[in-house]
Amino acid sequence: MLLNGHETFGWGTIILHWMIALLILGLIVLGFIMVRPDIDPELQFSLYQWHKSFGMTVLALSVIRVIWWLTNRHPASVKGLSPLEARSASAVHLLLLAMTIAVPLAGWAVASTSTLGIPTLVFNRVLVPHLPLRPSAEAEAFWTTTHALLAYGMGGLVVLHMVAAFHHEFIRRDGVLSRMIRGSLGKR
């Protein structure tokens, strides 16, 4: 089933969730590698271009994910959650969704304010115009810091999200993780 059900996630949600999750994981790893001081400059340039390409991909998929989220039903929370747990889960999901847009936008702002003026060519094919921001060293430093802080914040939310999913799956055994993998409630 493509669409979400009353208690289950549909394949549309599941595919978008895991594509974005894997891309974000790759972007985090790539982000740490590309800023190493001992890296070959030519390789570093290439890694920055890949980082921008995958970041733009996350942005595009996240916009689709937001539209999907706004136009699709939301499965009910699993039984047994307290009202605080249900509200906390919703808040973390909304923050993660917002971060999947905010982090790439901040990265796009870094590229747009750079005084180097290097174009963003997604996968060396599609030219993405810079945002209408004035290039300057100060603006680039601001957006670089903002991008990094947002990325670290998103990383913290991802860890919290994963810990909660594993807790529900392996300790509470209520099938939370199963329904994001198989699309079924998966109660044991």
Side-chain angles (χ1 to χ4, degrees):
M1 166 172 44
L2 182 66
L3 300 177
N4 295 339
H6 290 290
E7 293 187 1
T8 61
F9 290 105
W11 286 106
T13 299
I14 293 169
I15 290 168
L16 284 168
H17 175 273
W18 289 110
M19 284 176 62
I20 292 169
L22 290 172
L23 284 167
I24 287 171
L25 179 63
L27 281 163
I28 290 169
V29 171
L30 190 55
F32 280 114
I33 293 170
M34 71 187 200
V35 297
R36 291 175 49 111
D38 60 339
I39 197 166
D40 173 63
E42 196 172 312
L43 174 61
Q44 186 176 43
F45 179 83
S46 181
L47 293 177
Y48 267 90
Q49 298 313 307
W50 281 104
H51 187 81
K52 291 195 298 184
S53 293
F54 286 119
M56 287 296 184
T57 303
V58 165
L59 180 59
L61 288 172
S62 295
V63 168
I64 292 168
R65 177 73 172 96
V66 167
I67 293 167
W68 187 260
W69 184 84
L70 289 171
T71 60
N72 210 329
R73 112 176 358 139
H74 306 286
S77 296
V78 295
K79 294 183 181 15
L81 289 185
S82 72
L84 177 61
E85 288 173 318
R87 282 194 304 275
S88 297
S90 292
V92 169
H93 288 129
L94 287 173
L95 280 170
L96 279 169
L97 201 54
M99 290 294 224
T100 62
I101 291 178
V103 174
L105 280 177
W108 191 0
V110 172
S112 299
T113 57
S114 172
T115 57
L116 298 175
I118 299 170
T120 298
L121 278 173
V122 176
F123 301 113
N124 293 321
R125 299 264 186 261
V126 179
L127 177 64
V128 176
H130 287 169
L131 294 170
L133 301 170
R134 189 176 63 78
S136 73
E138 296 81 17
E140 183 180 6
F142 170 80
W143 286 111
T144 298
T145 301
T146 301
H147 180 62
L149 290 174
L150 287 171
Y152 284 124
M154 182 167 59
L157 285 172
V158 166
V159 169
L160 179 64
H161 182 65
M162 289 172 53
V163 167
F166 290 138
H167 171 78
H168 279 278
E169 188 67 19
F170 300 113
I171 294 174
R172 289 178 114 171
R173 297 186 177 270
D174 55 14
V176 166
L177 184 59
S178 295
R179 73 181 189 167
M180 187 48 78
I181 293 174
R182 294 191 298 266
S184 63
L185 195 50
K187 289 195 177 193
R188 297 177 187 188

